Amino acid sequence: MSERSSARSTDRFEKKREAILDAATEILNREGVKGLTLGVAAAAVGLSTTSVTYYFKRKDDLAAACLMRGIDWLCAAADEAMAQPTPAQRLKKLLELRLERLRLTAVGEAPALPSLADVRALNNPRRAEVVEAFMAGFRKVRALFEAPELAWLGRGRRTARTHMLLEQLFWAAAWLPKYDPEDYPRICERMYDILIGGFAAPGAEWAPIPAPLAELAAGEGQENGRETFLLAATRLINARGYKGASVDKISAELNVTKGSFYHHHDAKDDLVVACFDRTFEVMRRVQRLAMALPGDQWTKLSSAAAALTEYQLSEFGPLLRTSALSALPEAIREEQVAHSNRVSDRFASMISDGIAEGSIRPVDPAIAAQMLNATLNAGAELAFWVPGVTQKAAPSIFARPLLMGVFIR
C-alpha cells in the first residue's frame, strides 16, 4: 500500500471511529452504560455489530473511550484556564470554556461530551483506567485554588471546593436546555458572579440554625423498616452504580431474602424510584422546616443547606445521587427530574424572597437554586473526596463556599 493510500485508510478509520463515539456518547448520556451496547451503537451509525467490533472489541471498551473523551476535554480546559494569572480569572475561563462547549453542542456545531456520572458501571480494567484519568483531571482543576493569596486553604478545603466546582460544570448540562443557547454567555456570567460573591448580602454571617436530623428521616414501625431498606439500597447505588447494586447485594447488606426485596418492590427500577422519592421527601422536609425558622431568608436558606449537607454524612444519609437517573427508563427519568426541579424551584422562591428583603444578594434565583441543588447532591460523596471530614464540619467546608463565595476566607 502506498503512503498516500495508507494515510487515506487511516483517515477513514478515524472518521468512522469518531462517528461511532459521537453516537455512543448520545446513548450513554441518555441511557447510561447500562443502555449502551455495541448493537445499539452500531445501529445508530448504520453499521453491523461485527463492524463496530473492528473499532471496539467490547462494550466496556466503547463506553470507556466515550468517557475518556470527556476527561480529555476537562484536562485541556483546565490547562487553558491555568494559563490565567489569578484564581478568579482561572475560574471564569473554565466556566466560559464549559458553557461555550455546551452551547456549541446545543446548536449542533460540536458533539456532546459524555456525562461522567456512570463510571462505576464499567468493569475493570477499564473502570480503573477511567478513574485514574479522572483523578488526574481533578488534580488539574484543584490547581485553580493554588495561589499565594489562597495559602490559608488547606488541602481538604481545596479538594472540597474542587468537588463542588466540578459538580457545577457537570450538572449545568442537565438544566441549561431550559434556556436558549444564545443565553449561555449571560448564564455563564451569572454563575461566575454566584461562585465569586455567594448568596449572602454584605455583612451577613454564617450562622445556620441546627436541624433535628432524626426528625427528617422516616418515621417508626413499618415505615422505619422501609427506610432502612431504602437507605441500604441508596448507599449501594451511590457506591457501586445501578449496575453494581444488585438485588443479591442489597439483600445481603440487610441480611434479608430476595423474597423480602420483591415484597417491597416489583423490579429494580421501582427500587431506584423509591430511593429518589425518599431523597426528595427529605429535601422537602428540610425546606419546610427551614421556612418555619425565625429570622430572615438568608438564615432559612443557609440553615437548609447546612442541614442537608450534614444529613448526607449522618447515620441517616446519604441521599441518592442524581447520577442514578441515567439508569432509569426515559419516562420515569423525566418524572424524577420534574421532582428535582420542584425542589429547586422552592429554593428559588426562598432566594427571591431574600433578595426582596435584602438578606440575599441580587442573584439570578433560578440559576442560584440549580447551583445549590447541585452542591447539596454532591455532598453525598464528600467523605470520599475529603476522608475524615466530620458531619458537623461538612456544612462549613462544603456548603459555605457556594453560599458565601468560593474564595472567601
Side-chain angles (χ1 to χ4, degrees):
M1 183 184 294
S2 69
E3 187 175 328
R4 181 175 296 177
S5 297
S6 177
R8 282 200 298 268
S9 177
T10 300
D11 188 50
R12 284 196 299 271
F13 178 90
E14 288 300 325
K15 284 183 178 178
K16 183 59 69 176
R17 184 179 186 276
E18 292 300 305
I20 294 169
L21 285 173
D22 288 348
T25 298
E26 296 280 358
I27 299 165
L28 183 71
N29 288 347
R30 189 171 61 248
E31 301 179 32
V33 170
K34 173 192 172 189
L36 175 61
T37 66
L38 295 180
V40 171
V45 291
L47 293 175
S48 66
T49 303
T50 304
S51 297
V52 172
T53 60
Y54 180 63
Y55 301 88
F56 303 98
K57 297 295 184 185
R58 292 172 292 275
K59 165 185 168 174
D60 268 17
D61 296 333
L62 175 58
C66 291
L67 294 168
M68 288 299 296
R69 268 177 142 195
I71 294 169
D72 289 344
W73 180 89
L74 177 64
C75 290
D79 286 340
E80 187 171 343
M82 283 302 297
Q84 299 297 314
T86 69
Q89 289 170 303
R90 296 168 192 168
L91 172 61
K92 188 170 187 180
K93 173 58 71 173
L94 190 60
L95 276 175
E96 289 172 346
L97 291 170
R98 173 61 171 167
L99 267 71
E100 174 58 11
R101 179 55 188 263
L102 290 172
R103 187 193 69 79
L104 291 173
T105 299
V107 299
E109 295 180 11
L113 290 171
S115 165
L116 300 177
D118 216 16
V119 173
R120 294 180 183 86
L122 291 174
N123 297 308
N124 281 324
R126 291 289 174 255
R127 176 180 174 178
E129 293 168 359
V130 172
V131 168
E132 183 180 358
F134 178 76
M135 294 303 290
F138 187 96
R139 288 190 292 271
K140 283 178 178 286
V141 176
R142 188 172 60 194
L144 183 152
F145 295 100
E146 294 172 4
E149 62 269 35
L150 297 177
W152 55 272
L153 271 177
R155 181 184 177 87
R157 291 180 182 273
R158 292 199 307 273
T159 298
R161 282 164 167 76
T162 304
H163 177 43
M164 185 271 285
L165 174 57
L166 284 174
E167 192 70 15
Q168 304 305 331
L169 299 182
F170 298 150
W171 184 242
W175 58 265
L176 273 173
K178 296 169 58 178
Y179 298 87
D180 288 328
E182 66 189 68
D183 290 329
Y184 286 15
R186 176 182 62 83
I187 293 167
C188 180
E189 291 289 340
R190 295 188 175 190
M191 290 179 69
Y192 173 72
D193 173 67
I194 290 167
L195 286 168
I196 290 292
F199 294 36
E205 295 184 357
W206 176 257
I209 298 173
L213 299 186
E215 294 180 17
L216 301 174
E220 301 176 353
Q222 184 177 357
E223 180 64 22
N224 190 52
R226 183 173 183 272
E227 166 74 6
T228 301
F229 192 91
L230 294 179
L231 177 55
T234 295
R235 287 172 175 167
L236 276 170
I237 294 169
N238 282 354
R240 305 181 190 179
Y242 178 92
K243 180 179 176 182
S246 67
V247 174
D248 286 332
K249 289 175 182 174
I250 295 168
S251 300
E253 182 88 2
L254 292 172
N255 196 26
V256 299
T257 64
K258 291 172 69 172
S260 299
F261 171 90
Y262 290 112
H263 174 72
H264 285 282
H265 304 286
D266 294 332
K268 196 168 168 184
D269 286 346
D270 296 331
L271 174 63
V272 178
V273 169
C275 289
F276 270 121
D277 288 344
R278 167 187 174 270
T279 290
F280 295 134
E281 177 56 29
V282 169
M283 296 186 77
R284 284 190 288 267
R285 288 175 185 169
V286 171
Q287 288 175 327
R288 288 193 290 266
L289 179 67
M291 292 167 74
L293 290 173
D296 55 27
Q297 290 296 323
W298 161 249
T299 300
K300 299 174 192 291
L301 186 72
S302 59
S303 298
L308 284 166
T309 305
E310 192 174 339
Y311 189 95
Q312 294 277 33
L313 275 73
S314 74
E315 62 183 297
F316 311 106
L319 302 175
L320 190 63
R321 290 281 276 136
T322 51
S323 55
L325 284 170
S326 63
L328 293 173
E330 189 169 358
I332 301 176
R333 184 166 66 243
E334 289 177 355
E335 180 182 349
Q336 296 305 315
V337 169
H339 277 297
S340 177
N341 285 336
R342 285 196 286 274
V343 170
S344 182
D345 289 344
R346 181 174 283 179
F347 279 133
S349 295
M350 295 171 71
I351 294 166
S352 294
D353 291 345
I355 294 169
E357 73 181 10
S359 66
I360 292 177
R361 282 198 320 124
V363 296
D364 187 307
I367 294 172
Q370 290 287 358
M371 293 175 71
L372 178 57
N373 238 7
T375 299
L376 297 175
N377 183 262
E381 294 183 346
L382 182 59
F384 169 82
W385 290 106
V386 188
V389 62
T390 66
Q391 175 186 325
K392 292 297 182 182
S396 177
I397 289 172
F398 197 59
R400 181 176 177 169
L402 175 72
L403 291 173
M404 300 202 75
V406 74
F407 297 124
I408 300 299
R409 186 164 187 171

